[in-house]
Amino acid sequence: MKQVKPFLVAVALTVTASAFAQQAPKPEQVIKWRQSVYQVLGWNSNRIKANVDGQFNREEVVRAANSTAAIANSGLGALYLPGTEQGKGWHDTAAKPEIFKDGKKVGELAANFAREANELAKVAVNGDQAAVKAQFGKLGQTCKSCHDDYKVKD
Amino acid sequence: MKQVKPFLVAVALTVTASAFAQQAPKPEQVIKWRQSVYQVLGWNSNRIKANVDGQFNREEVVRAANSTAAIANSGLGALYLPGTEQGKGWHDTAAKPEIFKDGKKVGELAANFAREANELAKVAVNGDQAAVKAQFGKLGQTCKSCHDDYKVKD
């Protein structure tokens, strides 16, 4: 059994060590998945931003918000496995070493992110453009609060 | 207004030309997003496979299946914009030129993918391991049927 760090537990890690042992993804693959998750979140954000700042297409916003929420709830802590603190996926990891250590705080930030993403998915269904924009702003703050502390600056 | 190809319509493209004009993502960025989507789908598949072949953790399967379904429903056709037929995102695109041309057929394959992903998300909630495995197999067939025709072999 591999030991899991508190952060992994804190963000509701549901990957069992035995399950992962079967597939044994390499650290490089795990880092690629991790970097890809943030790209997909970035795509969704880009689409939502275009809609709240310009012509509002509710259907597109709902689709993008649902994708973001489902990803936020999908157990992202599993992508911060021990052994992936350093290394290259698509590029060198931008995760600071602290994200692997600050279990409690990172867990809180991850929960904030999921909460606001879930709320955006709800607001997107019925809210007007201004309400969606306001909730999108709250979601963005949760992204920023984590990036500020745990992402290497570009 | 940019012209949209039939495929983009067929897979329920909801991005308005005006919305995209605001952000004007570069082809390289769009291809990165596209490649990243399939990586996240690959991560989810990897997790589900580990669970249906080994120790079954329903919570993890539900999370991964929900993420896959939400992504499948998120309007992926928008990532096959004109101008992204060739080029490099994280790597050279593996999309064959035909995927930008075979609108009707590609739309059907995309709809099959979304349908089986939605079904997996349902089965994951209550189905036993064998039922989840069977539905995961059906989903995998929809991936393969598209890759066979429209993805450059590794």
Side-chain angles (χ1 to χ4, degrees):
Chain A
M1 292 285 285
K2 282 182 185 172
Q3 280 213 318
V4 290
K5 298 276 174 75
F7 165 51
L8 302 182
V9 175
V11 294
L13 171 66
T14 56
V15 179
T16 62
S18 63
F20 244 103
Q22 278 204 320
Q23 298 295 319
K26 292 180 181 169
E28 179 188 334
Q29 177 62 71
V30 174
I31 298 173
K32 276 188 184 175
W33 286 334
R34 189 162 84 200
Q35 293 170 340
S36 294
V37 159
Y38 294 107
Q39 286 286 322
V40 177
L41 295 173
W43 173 42
N44 289 334
S45 287
N46 184 280
R47 295 192 283 172
I48 295 169
K49 185 170 184 352
N51 276 284
V52 297
D53 288 344
Q55 189 176 333
F56 189 67
N57 179 325
R58 184 183 303 283
E59 191 183 356
E60 183 183 18
V61 174
V62 167
R63 288 165 185 265
N66 284 345
S67 169
T68 294
I71 290 170
N73 293 310
S74 76
L76 300 182
L79 296 177
Y80 291 85
L81 281 180
T84 65
E85 294 89 345
Q86 295 183 318
K88 198 169 183 141
W90 299 118
H91 51 76
D92 288 336
T93 184
K96 288 186 182 174
E98 289 76 12
I99 199 169
F100 296 88
K101 298 172 187 164
D102 296 353
K104 188 178 172 198
K105 184 179 167 194
V106 175
E108 287 168 3
L109 293 176
N112 291 344
F113 168 53
R115 186 188 64 244
E116 299 302 342
N118 291 338
E119 184 62 22
L120 181 61
K122 285 184 197 166
V123 172
V125 176
N126 293 313
D128 62 14
Q129 188 179 27
V132 172
K133 185 169 184 169
Q135 182 56 35
F136 179 62
K138 287 187 187 174
L139 176 61
Q141 283 302 312
T142 70
C143 301
K144 183 176 184 303
S145 64
C146 198
H147 294 176
D148 283 349
D149 287 345
Y150 297 113
K151 185 183 176 190
V152 176
K153 301 288 174 294
D154 291 330
Chain B
M1 292 286 286
K2 281 182 187 172
Q3 282 214 317
V4 290
K5 298 275 177 75
F7 165 51
L8 303 180
V9 176
V11 295
L13 172 65
T14 56
V15 180
T16 62
S18 64
F20 245 102
Q22 278 205 322
Q23 299 294 319
K26 292 180 183 169
E28 179 186 333
Q29 177 62 71
V30 174
I31 298 173
K32 276 188 183 175
W33 286 334
R34 189 162 82 200
Q35 292 170 341
S36 294
V37 159
Y38 294 106
Q39 285 287 320
V40 177
L41 294 173
W43 173 43
N44 289 334
S45 287
N46 185 281
R47 296 192 282 172
I48 296 169
K49 184 171 185 350
N51 276 283
V52 297
D53 288 345
Q55 189 177 332
F56 188 67
N57 180 325
R58 184 183 303 282
E59 191 183 355
E60 185 184 17
V61 173
V62 168
R63 287 166 186 266
N66 284 345
S67 168
T68 294
I71 291 170
N73 292 310
S74 75
L76 300 182
L79 296 176
Y80 290 84
L81 282 180
T84 65
E85 294 88 344
Q86 293 183 319
K88 200 169 182 141
W90 298 119
H91 51 76
D92 288 336
T93 184
K96 288 187 182 174
E98 289 77 11
I99 198 169
F100 297 88
K101 298 171 188 165
D102 297 353
K104 189 177 173 198
K105 184 178 168 194
V106 175
E108 288 169 1
L109 293 176
N112 292 343
F113 168 53
R115 185 188 66 243
E116 299 302 341
N118 290 338
E119 184 63 22
L120 180 61
K122 286 184 197 167
V123 172
V125 176
N126 293 312
D128 62 13
Q129 188 178 28
V132 172
K133 184 169 184 169
Q135 183 56 34
F136 178 63
K138 286 187 188 175
L139 175 61
Q141 282 303 313
T142 70
C143 300
K144 184 175 183 301
S145 65
C146 198
H147 294 177
D148 283 350
D149 287 344
Y150 296 113
K151 186 183 176 190
V152 175
K153 300 288 174 294
D154 290 331

